[in-house]
Amino acid sequence: MAAAPANPRTGSPRAQLPPCYYEGYLEKRGAKEKVARRLWTCLCGNTLYFFNSPKDTSYVEKLDLSGFVSLIDDPSRDRNLEAARLNLRMKDGEIKLTAPNLEARELWKGVLYSVVDLAVPTTLTLLPGQLHMLKEVVEKEKMRRQARVSSRAPSSPLSLPLVGEIPACFRPVSRTEAEVLLERHPDCGNMLLRPGRDGSSLAVTTRQDLNGSVFRHYRVTQKQQGSYIIDVENPIPCPTLHDVITALVEKTAGTLQPFLLEEPYEENITFVSSNDENGERTLHCAPTGPLSRAPSLPPKQVGTDRWSLRSQTRSPSSSPRSFSPPGSPSNSMRRLVLSPSPLSQSLTDELKQKLEKRRTNQE
């Protein structure tokens, strides 16, 4: 592989950078650069640091990914036929990057998307081990950001206690992150509600197109009674946060629409299994057909219980000493028991013949 796993270095300024998730050689050419430069690139936190060589302790450039907009493959050919290009579009311009090969480009895309979206991308062609690495990157970056936010002063963006139901367009993001969200997803709306920078108010960020992106930010303060005010030249009182959004939609004749970003969900059930022979783990897709149910057992047939029959025949009404009228069930059973069987009748006739023969011989 073109890129090597991160190797922590101590005793140098590089050790003071955020944790390194991935590193390797990339060719970089900015919007104002005519020639691309081959630089050792490290993804530390949500920032790309560029070094002249892997052994350098001081970086020559850095690129903060908080202004990330998109990452698109560049199908143009490079002088190196194995190289793979991609365009990194930022809020302030576009940067062209070139990876050594297609596999390296796919992995760079994976780590960049994982850090920006804090989720493992599902549309890339990656191996199970690489997907596991991206999952660890997401968890580490979440912990890093949480630790950074908790160490800030004086208060976090979510310190404001909101009263009433929160609109669906509320996002716990900063001003810059709100602008990036609106620019990256223009089809999801152009207005979102977010915490204010001071932690004691709210803000509405909007985006419109006028020879480029035009962003506007409006402060929303909460009154002691629980209602809200849009702080403009002529303040607009609103009973709830939903009324804040409705007021802005109505004031702009529907030009501003709430930002509603639908989270992606999987369309198929997948699971990971390991090969018993070589231990390789593979991602499988569960069958989509209906569940196969076990055949149902036939209903249990209720047979004649001989004990219940005996209990009926031994009832007081069927006692041998009791009188039963003709035709009753107990009388029929008595006739059945007292009537001689064919075998006993033949034995009786044979015994009679022997007695007659003995008497004849005696006479």
Side-chain angles (χ1 to χ4, degrees):
M1 296 179 57
N7 183 19
R9 300 170 174 86
T10 58
S12 66
R14 190 180 296 199
Q16 302 175 4
L17 300 179
C20 184
Y21 301 137
Y22 191 68
E23 58 184 342
Y25 274 112
L26 285 177
E27 292 186 8
K28 172 186 174 295
R29 182 165 68 89
K32 299 181 181 180
E33 297 176 341
K34 296 182 179 180
V35 181
R37 291 181 297 165
R38 187 171 182 264
L39 299 172
W40 183 260
T41 309
C42 299
L43 178 61
C44 301
N46 63 335
T47 304
L48 286 172
Y49 293 88
F50 300 95
F51 301 83
N52 287 322
S53 70
K55 298 181 179 180
D56 287 353
T57 58
S58 300
Y59 59 87
V60 293
E61 291 184 38
K62 73 173 182 177
L63 179 63
D64 189 356
L65 296 177
S66 59
F68 177 90
V69 176
S70 63
L71 186 63
I72 305 174
D73 292 345
D74 185 354
S76 60
R77 293 292 185 91
D78 189 83
R79 62 181 182 275
N80 180 7
L81 298 180
E82 294 184 358
R85 294 179 173 180
L86 67 160
N87 296 331
L88 175 60
R89 184 184 177 191
M90 305 295 292
K91 183 180 176 181
D92 55 354
E94 187 176 84
I95 299 173
K96 296 185 178 296
L97 301 174
T98 303
N101 49 57
L102 291 175
E103 183 182 0
R105 182 180 70 177
E106 204 74 359
L107 193 51
W108 270 112
K109 289 164 56 179
V111 292
L112 290 175
Y113 277 123
S114 298
V115 169
V116 171
D117 297 334
L118 292 181
V120 177
T122 58
T123 58
L124 302 179
T125 306
L126 298 171
L127 297 175
Q130 295 171 336
L131 292 174
H132 180 72
M133 184 194 76
L134 296 185
K135 184 178 179 181
E136 292 182 345
V137 169
V138 172
E139 296 299 327
K140 292 179 180 179
E141 180 62 11
K142 286 182 178 179
M143 294 176 60
R144 188 189 72 86
R145 294 189 187 184
Q146 185 177 3
R148 185 182 61 176
V149 170
S150 61
S151 62
R152 285 179 179 175
S155 59
S156 68
L158 297 178
S159 61
L160 176 68
L162 302 181
V163 178
E165 186 178 356
I166 302 176
C169 62
F170 176 81
R171 292 277 167 171
V173 295
S174 64
R175 172 183 286 222
T176 303
E177 292 171 339
E179 294 178 356
V180 172
L181 269 178
L182 293 175
E183 190 167 21
R184 288 180 61 187
H185 307 280
D187 298 334
C188 298
N190 56 2
M191 173 178 58
L192 62 79
L193 181 68
R194 60 176 178 82
R197 182 174 297 179
D198 55 3
S200 60
S201 63
L202 295 167
V204 173
T205 300
T206 65
R207 174 191 174 273
Q208 299 182 72
D209 288 323
L210 182 63
N211 298 326
S213 297
V214 178
F215 296 99
R216 293 290 182 266
H217 306 274
Y218 304 94
R219 183 190 299 273
V220 178
T221 57
Q222 181 179 334
K223 299 176 67 176
Q224 294 181 355
Q225 296 81 2
S227 58
Y228 298 88
I229 293 179
I230 304 176
D231 287 338
V232 289
E233 185 176 358
N234 295 320
I236 304 174
C238 301
T240 64
L241 288 175
H242 282 280
D243 296 321
V244 171
I245 302 302
T246 303
L248 291 172
V249 173
E250 293 177 352
K251 291 288 184 181
T252 60
T255 302
L256 297 180
Q257 290 295 322
F259 180 79
L260 302 176
L261 179 61
E262 295 184 0
E263 300 293 340
Y265 292 93
E266 300 294 336
E267 297 181 356
N268 298 306
I269 299 175
T270 57
F271 61 96
V272 178
S273 64
S274 58
N275 192 318
D276 295 337
E277 296 181 357
N278 53 21
E280 182 180 356
R281 300 177 67 85
T282 309
L283 185 66
H284 298 278
C285 184
T288 57
L291 294 176
S292 58
R293 297 182 178 179
S296 58
L297 297 176
K300 185 177 180 181
Q301 298 181 356
V302 180
T304 304
D305 191 352
R306 60 177 182 174
W307 298 107
S308 61
L309 180 59
R310 290 182 61 183
S311 63
Q312 293 178 4
T313 57
R314 294 175 63 90
S315 62
S317 61
S318 61
S319 176
R321 296 184 180 182
S322 63
F323 173 77
S324 300
S328 64
S330 59
N331 197 33
S332 301
M333 291 298 297
R334 289 182 63 188
R335 290 199 303 267
L336 179 61
V337 173
L338 296 177
S339 59
S341 63
L343 179 59
S344 60
Q345 184 67 32
S346 61
L347 291 175
T348 304
D349 295 342
E350 184 179 357
L351 182 58
K352 287 181 180 181
Q353 292 177 3
K354 289 183 178 181
L355 291 175
E356 290 294 335
K357 186 180 293 185
R358 183 176 297 178
R359 289 176 183 177
T360 305
N361 294 334
Q362 289 179 357
E363 295 177 355

